[in-house]
């Protein structure tokens, strides 16, 4: 069974530390390492919305599956531009977020959402 544990808008100026606290509260039963992985994926995907979309708005959903344990992070935005693996238009010191997501997640990707926009998702295992 998979349960929706976080469902919230992404808006300019939102606090990443508050977001990580919300994730901790929603997924407190996870082990520390798995929780840290999920927090990192959430931070990266939400930061991409804030940094790379015209209005810097979107929507975050986190789903927790129990058997086997997995956390699905989904972030909707209004940009049809696909995530870029390993480089950024924001400069040399940016752009490795999707590489981090790829390394942590069992699976990640994006799918179109409506006429414009997409959902970027990542699946983080929480077993072992």
């Amino acid at each position: 069974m998979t349960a929706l544990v976080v469902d919230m808008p992404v808006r300019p100026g939102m606090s990443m530390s508050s977001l990580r606290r919300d994730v901790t509260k929603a997924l407190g039963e996870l082990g520390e390492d798995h929780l840290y992985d999920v927090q990192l994926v959430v931070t990266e995907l939400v930061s991409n919305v804030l940094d790379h979309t015209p209005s810097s708005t979107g929507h975050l959903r986190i789903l927790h599956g129990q058997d086997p344990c997995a956390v699905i992070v989904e972030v909707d935005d209004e940009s049809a531009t696909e995530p870029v693996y390993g480089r950024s238009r924001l400069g040399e010191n940016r752009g490795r977020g999707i590489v981090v997501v790829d390394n942590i997640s069992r699976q990640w990707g994006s799918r179109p959402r409506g006429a414009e926009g997409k959902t970027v998702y990542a699946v983080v295992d929480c077993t072992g």
Side-chain angles (χ1 to χ4, degrees):
M1 182 172 144
T2 301
L4 181 66
V5 295
V6 173
D7 187 17
M8 66 188 318
V10 173
R11 295 195 173 115
M14 69 186 300
S15 164
M16 288 297 130
S17 60
S18 292
L19 178 58
R20 285 188 288 274
R21 278 193 299 276
D22 291 343
V23 170
T24 298
K25 207 178 299 182
L27 296 168
E29 73 279 359
L30 291 184
E32 186 176 339
D33 289 342
H34 294 120
L35 183 58
Y36 179 78
D37 288 348
V38 172
Q39 289 173 330
L40 190 53
V41 167
V42 168
T43 300
E44 292 299 338
L45 296 185
V46 168
S47 293
N48 281 348
V49 171
L50 297 172
D51 290 344
H52 299 292
T53 64
S55 68
S56 299
T57 61
H59 201 89
L60 166 67
R61 287 178 305 284
I62 301 175
L63 299 100
H64 186 198
Q66 299 292 334
D67 191 25
C69 186
V71 176
I72 303 162
V73 179
E74 300 181 333
V75 181
D76 302 332
D77 66 49
E78 62 186 33
S79 172
T81 304
E82 294 294 316
V84 177
Y85 188 90
R87 59 184 173 77
S88 171
R89 63 181 168 78
L90 298 177
E92 283 185 32
N93 294 323
R94 304 284 308 272
R96 292 182 265 309
I98 290 296
V99 174
V100 170
V101 170
D102 183 51
N103 287 327
I104 293 172
S105 304
R106 171 178 14 121
Q107 171 187 357
W108 76 274
S110 68
R111 59 184 178 266
R113 189 180 57 79
E116 283 194 26
K118 66 184 172 301
T119 300
V120 180
Y121 63 90
V123 180
V124 179
D125 286 325
C126 49
T127 58

